[in-house]
């Protein structure tokens, strides 16, 4: 069966709400046992569209779905998992075999929610301002408890909140999609994989003002679906002003068996980040053939919501620390980083908070760090945010190990570019860690 949304009354004028026409087409297709719902060229204003099992939802070239700004256009079912922002333009819940394909665009209108505020006193790198940080801002796609999703070819642009959120999904393939968000719009994670299993993402181009790819187990989703396991990320290009490749910070259930391979990352505050913050276990993680850059970004001293970037331009950031005093940190074990080549401004930072002591078996091989000033921000600070220490002053060694059980660095190198006047301070600082091998060369170079 092939159905065209225009045959169900879609106007495609970018002003008339077309949600009902789309939903009628999807429902008819579902009632007939499945098939293809086709969206031809045109501009369609939508609230919540709920996709069904055995549906292929295809956006033709020139088709643009525009997310409505009206929260009344996003009704929610009663059995959706609690979420900081559960409303989204494209949705599926408790379904299977759902495919979204084509070469169209989903457009979120983020600049209708945010603006540049000179009163913040920033330097043009700081977060954009939202009039009310608690205001309604929809995601562009949210799938929960869906088995057998395929998402391919689509471009997601200017998301007001997390762009793509998979929660409690199984057997998912995402390939050859694009996310194009402003680099200063916070909360606009490009891609969140939350308590999912058997998940593959490849060939992604992601640009965003928050995390690029974030694998997590959030509190309420974890209660329903358990942890995250068997996730493979490969062949991605990521421009992010937060963490490009990230696990955590939300780790309320285990995150296991995750690999990131053959990815390029650019301009991130953490190029690679693994957080344990909420008592969960993070284990069996591989980063292989990751290249690019990491840099610190400037904050606005007078931002009325006190938003700030996390990270200081770290090449690698691995941290087990409680969010607040008296809380559990969780554990991190069995992490391999191999063939890592990053221009950075801060350390390869690997730390377990003293009262936690829960990071072990961290192996680094063929790591190339090139310390070079890229941004406007002074160094001399470690940033564990969110943690009991958050940001604290510290000289910057190339490698920093703190309270780690079993770690090694092999066949690695460090280049210091124009180090005069910087806070960079030697190859290694080891604080109470079992570092059984450290093989690393260094050199100093000058550039104009």
């Amino acid at each position: 069966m092939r159905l065209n949304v225009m045959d169900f009354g879609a106007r495609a004028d970018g002003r008339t709400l077309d949600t009902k026409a789309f939903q009628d087409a999807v429902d008819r297709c579902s009632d007939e046992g499945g098939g293809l719902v086709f969206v031809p060229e045109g501009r369609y204003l939508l609230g919540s569209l709920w996709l069904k099992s055995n549906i292929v939802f295809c956006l033709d070239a020139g088709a643009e779905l525009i997310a409505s700004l009206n929260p009344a256009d996003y009704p929610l079912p009663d059995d959706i998992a609690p979420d900081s922002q559960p409303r989204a333009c494209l949705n599926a819940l408790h379904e299977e075999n759902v495919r979204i394909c084509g070469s169209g665009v989903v457009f979120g209108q983020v600049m209708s929610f945010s603006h540049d505020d000179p009163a913040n006193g920033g330097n043009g790198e700081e977060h954009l301002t939202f009039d009310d940080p608690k205001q309604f801002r929809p995601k562009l796609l949210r799938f929960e408890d869906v088995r057998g999703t395929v998402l391919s070819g689509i471009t997601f642009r200017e998301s007001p909140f997390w762009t793509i959120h998979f929660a409690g999904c199984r057997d998912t393939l995402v390939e050859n999609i694009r996310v194009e968000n402003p680099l200063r719009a916070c909360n606009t994670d490009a891609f969140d994989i939350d308590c999912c299993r058997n998940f593959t993402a490849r060939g992604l181009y992601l640009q965003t003002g928050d995390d690029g790819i974030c694998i997590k187990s959030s509190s309420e989703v974890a209660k329903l679906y358990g942890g995250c396991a068997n996730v493979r990320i490969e062949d991605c290009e990521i421009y992010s002003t937060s963490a490009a490749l990230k696990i955590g910070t939300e780790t309320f259930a285990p995150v296991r068996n995750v690999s990131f391979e053959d990815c390029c990352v650019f301009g991130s505050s953490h190029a690679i980040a693994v957080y344990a913050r909420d008592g969960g276990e993070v284990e069996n993680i591989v980063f292989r053939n990751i290249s690019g850059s990491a840099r610190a970004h400037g904050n606005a001293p007078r931002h009325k919501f006190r938003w700030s970037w996390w990270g200081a331009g770290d090449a690698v950031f691995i941290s087990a620390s409680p969010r607040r005093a008296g809380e559990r940190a969780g554990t991190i074990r069995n992490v391999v980083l191999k063939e890592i080549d990053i221009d950075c401004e801060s350390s390869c930072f690997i730390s377990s908070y003293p009262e936690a002591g829960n990071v072990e078996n961290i192996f680094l091989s063929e790591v190339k760090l090139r310390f070079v000033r890229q941004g406007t921000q002074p160094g001399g600070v470690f940033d564990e945010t969110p943690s009991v220490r958050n940001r604290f002053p510290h000289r910057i060694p190339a490698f920093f190990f703190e309270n780690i059980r079993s770690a090694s660095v092999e066949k690695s190198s460090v280049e210091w570019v124009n180090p005069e006047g910087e806070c960079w301070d030697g190859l290694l600082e080891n604080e109470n860690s079992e570092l059984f091998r450290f093989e690393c060369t260094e050199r100093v170079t000058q550039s104009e």
Side-chain angles (χ1 to χ4, degrees), residues 350 362-364 399-410 427-440:
I350 302 173
I362 310 297
F363 302 102
L364 300 95
F399 294 87
F400 177 80
F401 291 88
E402 181 182 36
N403 304 312
I404 308 303
R405 294 200 296 265
S406 186
S408 71
V409 177
E410 300 178 349
L427 276 179
L428 171 66
E429 182 176 338
N430 181 0
E431 300 287 347
N432 192 35
S433 296
E434 300 172 7
L435 187 61
F436 66 85
R437 184 176 293 111
F438 186 79
E439 299 173 355
C440 186

Side-chain angles (χ1 to χ4, degrees), residues 42 94 109 141 184 187 232 266 269 280 331 380 385 403 415 432:
H94 312 318
Q109 304 195 76
L141 182 148
R184 294 170 54 203
N187 307 132
R232 182 177 179 84
F266 300 97
S269 55
T331 61
T385 309
N403 304 312
E415 179 182 357
N432 192 35

Side-chain angles (χ1 to χ4, degrees), residues 96-376:
E96 61 183 17
N97 301 327
V98 179
R99 180 171 182 177
I100 301 176
C101 63
S103 53
V105 173
V106 185
F107 179 60
Q109 304 195 76
V110 69
M111 296 309 294
S112 297
F113 297 85
S114 61
H115 62 278
D116 199 351
D117 189 349
N120 289 333
N123 61 1
E125 298 180 3
E126 72 281 358
H127 290 104
L128 296 172
T129 292
F130 293 97
D131 292 328
D132 178 357
K134 297 182 180 180
Q135 74 188 104
F136 162 76
R137 288 184 280 143
K139 298 172 182 175
L140 296 188
L141 182 148
R142 187 187 187 277
F143 277 20
E144 178 184 333
D145 186 29
V146 179
R147 183 182 294 271
T149 298
V150 176
L151 172 62
S152 64
I154 305 299
T155 295
F156 296 84
R157 188 170 291 150
E158 290 200 18
S159 180
F161 205 77
W162 296 358
T163 308
I164 300 167
H165 182 196
F166 286 93
C169 295
R170 305 290 184 270
D171 307 325
T172 306
L173 172 63
V174 179
E175 58 183 354
N176 303 324
I177 67 163
R178 295 177 66 90
V179 171
E180 300 172 355
N181 294 335
L183 287 170
R184 294 170 54 203
C186 64
N187 307 132
T188 62
D189 294 11
F191 198 58
D192 288 279
I193 302 169
D194 187 356
C195 298
C196 296
R197 298 180 183 177
N198 306 329
F199 198 111
T200 298
R202 61 193 180 211
L204 312 186
Y205 174 93
L206 308 176
Q207 174 186 295
T208 189
D210 214 300
D211 298 328
I213 297 175
C214 184
I215 300 170
K216 63 176 66 181
S217 51
S218 63
S219 175
E220 298 302 321
V221 176
K223 291 176 184 177
L224 293 173
Y225 305 110
C228 206
N230 307 326
V231 178
R232 182 177 179 84
I233 309 297
E234 57 186 14
D235 189 26
C236 296
E237 182 176 347
I238 302 173
Y239 297 79
S240 161
T241 39
S242 192
L245 304 174
K246 181 181 180 183
I247 295 175
T249 61
E250 295 170 289
T251 49
F252 288 90
V255 176
R256 296 190 172 107
N257 307 329
V258 177
S259 66
F260 301 85
E261 299 191 21
D262 305 324
C263 294
C264 298
V265 303
F266 300 97
S268 302
S269 55
H270 302 306
I272 293 169
V274 180
Y275 289 80
R277 289 291 184 270
D278 305 300
E281 298 177 344
V282 178
E283 61 182 1
N284 305 333
I285 312 298
V286 174
F287 296 89
R288 185 187 303 272
N289 190 24
I290 310 299
S291 62
S293 62
R295 53 160 289 195
H297 297 274
N299 297 311
R302 298 192 296 275
H303 201 295
K304 62 181 177 180
F305 301 123
R306 300 185 182 276
W307 287 332
S308 61
W309 303 111
W310 296 355
D314 319 289
V316 175
F317 178 89
I318 299 175
S319 169
S321 173
R323 292 179 185 270
R324 292 167 286 271
E327 297 184 354
R328 295 178 59 200
T331 61
I332 301 172
R333 66 172 68 94
N334 305 335
V335 180
V336 174
L337 300 105
K338 184 177 176 62
E339 300 171 40
I340 310 298
D341 189 347
I342 302 290
D343 289 359
C344 57
E345 295 184 331
S346 192
S347 300
C348 176
F349 177 95
I350 302 173
S351 170
S352 176
Y353 195 66
E355 283 75 13
N358 291 336
V359 179
E360 61 181 325
N361 299 337
I362 310 297
F363 302 102
L364 300 95
S365 178
E366 300 176 62
V367 175
K368 297 180 181 180
L369 305 181
R370 183 174 182 264
F371 281 76
V372 57
R373 172 63 72 92
Q374 302 162 67
T376 63

